[in-house]
Amino acid sequence: MLNIRSTLLALSAIVFASFVKADSLTVGNSFVREVPPGSPATAAFMHLYNQSDAPVRLIEAQNSITDYTELHDHVVINEVMQMRQVDAIEIPARGKVRLVPGGLHLMLIGLDQPVKEGDTLTLNLLFDNGDVLEFEAPVRPVRPMHHSSSNE
């Protein structure tokens, strides 16, 4: 019985860590990309859910290991994919936005140390309605980038 209880507690901790909520906003499926030693930056990805009746904008982000965190998107210009900083990321009313490789994401700039699988980083998201979400995101290995719609 103790093993089942321990397993259930561990699973509930994993589920709780996967989704963080503040008022009407929820963050799920968050992770930070593992990068090789010496890399100056990495990226964070997640799903942002808005259960309110009004759109909300992510306007700022911070993290526990670099001085700079920027909101970014990938755009194709003259058939070349380029990364661009954006002022905000809007989460529609009763909708979600996916921050994914090849799309919207957070750039964590100025790494002083490598990030590797098994590490966790604290991320803080500030929204235009005053909500702040603070959560831990696990570091995952590098995966090939793929094109994906940011809004699904």
Side-chain angles (χ1 to χ4, degrees), residues 25 48 56-59 91 125-131 133:
L25 297 168
L48 300 172
V56 178
R57 294 168 31 117
L58 172 63
I59 57 173
I91 305 98
L125 305 180
L126 175 63
F127 297 87
D128 65 349
N129 67 354
D131 281 354
L133 291 174

Side-chain angles (χ1 to χ4, degrees), residues 20-27 49-51 56 127 129 131 133:
V20 177
K21 187 172 182 174
D23 293 332
S24 62
L25 297 168
T26 306
V27 175
Y49 302 91
N50 177 8
Q51 289 86 28
V56 178
F127 297 87
N129 67 354
D131 281 354
L133 291 174

Side-chain angles (χ1 to χ4, degrees), residues 54-125:
V56 178
R57 294 168 31 117
L58 172 63
I59 57 173
E60 186 179 335
Q62 299 171 343
N63 72 83
S64 59
I65 61 168
T66 69
D67 291 334
Y68 303 101
T69 307
E70 296 179 353
L71 312 177
H72 278 224
D73 196 2
H74 280 96
V75 294
V76 177
I77 299 174
N78 297 324
E79 298 182 30
V80 176
M81 183 177 276
Q82 298 179 15
M83 190 169 38
R84 300 278 186 197
Q85 185 175 1
V86 296
D87 293 329
I89 297 172
E90 184 167 314
I91 305 98
R94 302 262 174 229
K96 74 177 177 180
V97 171
R98 295 176 39 192
L99 280 62
V100 296
L104 293 166
H105 60 281
L106 304 180
M107 285 299 302
L108 288 58
I109 302 168
L111 288 173
D112 292 333
Q113 59 194 22
V115 293
K116 59 190 180 314
E117 186 174 15
D119 292 346
T120 57
L121 280 68
T122 301
L123 296 172
N124 289 291
L125 305 180

Side-chain angles (χ1 to χ4, degrees), residues 31-52:
F31 72 96
V32 174
R33 180 176 286 201
E34 179 182 55
V35 292
S39 295
T42 188
F45 309 100
M46 66 206 65
H47 298 174
L48 300 172
Y49 302 91
N50 177 8
Q51 289 86 28
S52 76

